[in-house]
Amino acid sequence: MPDTPFAPVILGNEPGSFPHSVLAERHPAIIGQVRDAFPYGPGQHRALDELLRSCTEGTIEPLPADAPDRDRWHGWGLAGHTGRPWFDAPWLWSESYFYRRLLDAVGWFGPGPWQGVDPFRPFKRAELDAPETDEELAALDGLRDLPEQERAKALLHGSLWGNRADLGFRLSAAGAEAREASPGLVADDSDVLWSLLPPDETGTLVLVADNAGRELVPDLLLIAHLLAGGRTARAVLHVKPYPYYVSDATTADVVDALRRLRTAGGAAAEHARVLWSAMADGRLAVRAHPFSCAPLPYADMPDDLRAEFAAATLTIVKGDLNYRRLVGDRRWPPTTPFRRTTAYFPGPVAALRTLKSDVITGLSAATEAALVAAGEQSWRTSGTHALIQADPSGQVHPE
Ligand SMILES: O=P(O)(O)OC[C@H]1O[C@](O)(CO)[C@@H](O)[C@@H]1O
């Protein structure tokens, strides 16, 4: 983002700040939860102890010599951060590396019997199986008789507010789920978004997913609606190649969600049928690109991913972390135009996000003033507010 070098990158080293609390409190809590959830052996317990020590009072250490992705992480800056306290690296970098190391500790990368066992799966499954999910799926039947535009809006908002269902976030934001969502959006470019999805049965939608369970389910419902109504001919769902940020969706979570929809009956099962057959004939594809777990902003994306986004009619980027990566994890003045921060993006892009970290762009001065007056700074991180932002051009914008 060469034209805006003044917005500083967010670090985790300011005691009392939100990023600091994530590194100092949430990460240790996650280690505790994972440890409790599985009958791990002594080697895994030792490795978890070591990670706990390292991430709270130690420094960033290199990956094991036989790590399959060692070169990739070097390309993502590991050598430059090795030996530094976790708190002094860019927050985005430290968080991502924490999850990478957690997977090492539990044996995800193998070889061995724990290879590929998702340490977050029990939490994700519990959410998918929760009665709230039944209620949300049953409510779908009530949308059947609505005019298309209203149904589309309801499904878009379902996908947007589904982003509140984020397990890592709830760990340190006690009562987050119970807290009232603020009905007004802090930014709403939904007209632009819909204009990029005309019902002409052409085009490719890329949806960069965020969380599994109660976020992925409404994401899939939205995709089903867009495919069935001809607002897109094809869809590509980007998920994570490995478990990440507790509840981020992997391919296994897509399968779980689709099976959940299929067995729910009613309108949910109808949507499942649309998705199932779209997967079978290639109109819906799932991708798990390594860069989806990179500790870097999308401005640094590799050429193959850039080409994929460039070819899409629209890329919808879900959630808080993807937003941070889309606009850059920086202390932007909140009125910085969204489109200025996404000027590098190779195609039309939209963000659907509930606000769960300090980064924000694209607010009007009046909106920012009202938020500050009403809620001090908690509106930024409490998940009560949401936004729909869109940049239709996919080209560099003149200032
Ligand atoms: O699931 P989401 O919406 O990406 O939110 C996860 C957010 O939680 C955090 O881990 C802490 O807020 C952020 O790093 C991240 O932006």
Side-chain angles (χ1 to χ4, degrees):
M1 238 140 307
D3 57 339
T4 46
F6 49 82
V9 170
I10 295 178
L11 307 179
N13 59 5
E14 197 184 309
S17 69
F18 180 66
H20 187 277
S21 75
V22 169
L23 299 183
E25 294 158 30
R26 186 183 301 185
H27 287 181
I30 289 170
I31 291 175
Q33 287 214 331
V34 166
R35 198 197 283 279
D36 284 352
F38 285 90
Y40 288 134
Q44 288 154 316
H45 282 287
R46 268 195 304 278
L48 289 169
D49 289 341
E50 180 46 34
L51 177 61
L52 181 60
R53 191 205 55 72
S54 161
C55 76
T56 51
E57 55 198 51
T59 54
I60 293 168
E61 287 160 28
L63 286 174
D66 58 352
D69 51 352
R70 209 160 180 262
D71 290 348
R72 186 173 291 138
W73 274 91
H74 276 269
W76 292 342
L78 177 55
H81 295 305
T82 299
R84 297 170 74 192
W86 292 71
F87 293 85
D88 291 349
W91 181 45
L92 173 64
W93 202 96
S94 293
E95 282 192 291
S96 296
Y97 195 56
F98 168 78
Y99 289 101
R100 173 62 186 76
R101 295 315 306 255
L102 183 62
L103 291 186
D104 257 342
V106 298
W108 164 272
F109 290 100
W114 291 89
Q115 185 168 22
V117 177
D118 180 348
F120 308 125
R121 183 168 162 83
F123 317 123
K124 295 192 258 192
R125 275 297 338 181
E127 198 190 62
L128 203 55
D129 296 337
E132 290 84 355
T133 309
D134 287 321
E135 284 160 30
E136 283 161 10
L137 292 178
L140 216 51
D141 294 345
L143 300 185
R144 273 197 182 113
D145 300 328
L146 293 181
E148 195 278 334
Q149 275 193 346
E150 281 177 47
R151 214 167 347 128
K153 182 177 174 188
L155 290 168
L156 182 72
H157 280 242
S159 166
L160 169 65
W161 287 104
N163 181 236
R164 291 190 91 202
D166 155 13
L167 300 167
F169 165 70
R170 276 194 245 149
L171 255 183
S172 60
E177 189 72 340
R179 222 172 280 149
E180 274 296 289
S182 176
L185 304 181
V186 300
D188 185 1
D189 294 341
S190 43
D191 288 349
V192 179
L193 186 152
W194 289 123
S195 73
L196 294 163
L197 294 169
D200 59 5
E201 308 204 19
T202 63
T204 299
L205 169 74
V206 171
L207 191 144
V208 181
D210 184 14
N211 298 299
R214 282 169 63 208
E215 177 165 5
L216 186 59
V217 164
D219 290 345
L220 288 169
L221 295 173
L222 177 63
I223 290 173
H225 179 80
L226 298 176
L227 284 170
R231 280 186 179 268
T232 190
R234 284 170 301 280
V236 182
L237 180 67
H238 280 251
V239 296
K240 303 296 190 296
Y242 55 72
Y244 192 57
Y245 280 76
V246 185
S247 44
D248 280 23
T250 62
T251 304
D253 299 316
V254 174
V255 174
D256 282 349
L258 281 171
R259 292 175 65 87
R260 179 76 164 87
L261 284 177
R262 194 162 76 157
T263 52
E270 285 163 24
H271 283 86
R273 275 193 287 280
V274 169
L275 294 164
W276 212 274
S277 68
M279 295 229 8
D281 64 24
R283 283 175 299 123
L284 171 58
V286 179
R287 295 253 194 290
H289 195 287
F291 193 78
S292 296
C293 287
L296 301 175
Y298 281 110
D300 296 337
M301 72 181 110
D303 291 345
D304 63 329
L305 194 56
R306 182 175 294 276
E308 197 167 326
F309 290 146
T313 321
L314 172 66
T315 297
I316 295 182
V317 168
K318 289 289 321 282
D320 192 86
L321 175 63
N322 280 324
Y323 187 84
R324 292 166 55 196
R325 296 186 66 198
L326 177 67
V327 303
D329 203 28
R330 292 170 179 268
R331 299 198 181 281
W332 298 111
T335 52
T336 307
F338 173 70
R339 293 181 188 190
R340 192 161 105 196
T341 64
T342 54
Y344 72 89
F345 203 85
V349 63
L352 301 184
R353 171 218 185 191
T354 61
L355 280 54
K356 293 182 275 185
S357 68
D358 292 316
V359 178
I360 183 75
T361 70
L363 297 190
S364 69
T367 302
E368 185 196 0
L371 288 166
V372 172
E376 294 154 10
Q377 290 297 304
S378 72
W379 59 271
R380 288 175 182 257
T381 57
S382 59
T384 49
H385 293 75
L387 58 78
I388 299 172
Q389 289 176 325
D391 174 356
S393 73
Q395 281 155 21
V396 176
H397 306 280
E399 265 305 286

